[in-house]
Each structure stands twice: as C-alpha cells, then as structure tokens.
Amino acid sequence: MFRRTFWFTAGAAAGVWATTKVNRKLRQLTPESLAAQAADKAVEAGHRLKDFALDVRANMLQREAELGEALGLDAPVDPEHELPASRRRAALGPHTPTDTTTYSLSYNRNEDH
C-alpha cells in the first residue's frame, strides 16, 4: 500500500514538474517574449558598443598627446616667429570656392523625335 502511494505521489510530482517546465518554455517562445529578448540584447549590444567607442576615443587622445609631446608639437610658440593675426590669415591665402560653375540642364521632349 505504501509503495503504491509513494509511486503515485512521485508520478504526480514529476507530472507537475514537467508541466510547469513545458509551460515556462512555451511562454519564453511567444512572439512578445522573443521580441522583448531581442530588444534587451540590442540595448546591451548598444551599451557595449558605446563603451568601446569611448575607450577608443580616450586611447586615441592619449596617444595623440604622447605623439605631440614626442614630436614637440605641444611646445609653446615662440612670439618672435609667430605671425600677427592679420598676416596669419593672409598667409593662408584668400578663401575662394574652387568650382563655381553652374550647369543648366534643359530637356526638350521634341528633340527625341
């Protein structure tokens, strides 16, 4: 008698456990749940990408400073050799657009015949 009761209880418990496991998996596979999981993964990937870009930017600035220091680009400018502000602009040359050509495209349908 006790043996039957034990196996009946064990079977019922296994059935309840399997049913809850299957139902939980089915809820995970609904379209709403899959969309939410995809959105969470996209947000997580975006955060990782942003962190990567910030790390690259910081290391780029650090390396640029190291190179500037090694090449002496960060040294203060000697006032004797610096051009006055008015001549600095003139030394660069006048700013004129290189291509000022305007095109006129006209299409006459009668020319096709």
Side-chain angles (χ1 to χ4, degrees):
M1 181 77 174
F2 288 112
R3 184 181 280 174
R4 286 183 184 174
T5 306
F6 170 76
W7 286 115
F8 176 77
T9 307
V16 169
W17 176 80
T19 303
T20 56
K21 192 94 167 160
V22 167
N23 285 335
R24 188 177 304 144
K25 186 55 88 174
L26 286 175
R27 269 187 261 126
Q28 285 180 350
L29 297 176
T30 61
E32 296 85 13
S33 177
L34 291 175
Q37 289 174 10
D40 290 343
K41 295 286 184 183
V43 168
E44 182 181 329
H47 288 305
R48 279 189 268 148
L49 186 61
K50 180 183 173 187
D51 291 342
F52 174 72
L54 290 174
D55 288 344
V56 168
R57 177 76 175 149
N59 289 331
M60 181 182 69
L61 291 174
Q62 178 185 358
R63 182 63 177 152
E64 187 176 328
E66 290 172 2
L67 289 173
E69 186 177 310
L71 296 174
L73 298 176
D74 292 336
V77 178
D78 187 11
E80 295 176 9
H81 295 97
E82 185 178 4
L83 289 174
S86 61
R87 292 198 52 211
R88 227 179 290 155
R89 182 73 176 146
L92 294 175
H95 179 67
T96 57
T98 57
D99 186 20
T100 58
T101 307
T102 59
Y103 296 99
S104 173
L105 297 175
S106 64
Y107 179 69
N108 187 351
R109 293 177 46 171
N110 294 328
E111 292 179 357
D112 289 344
H113 301 293

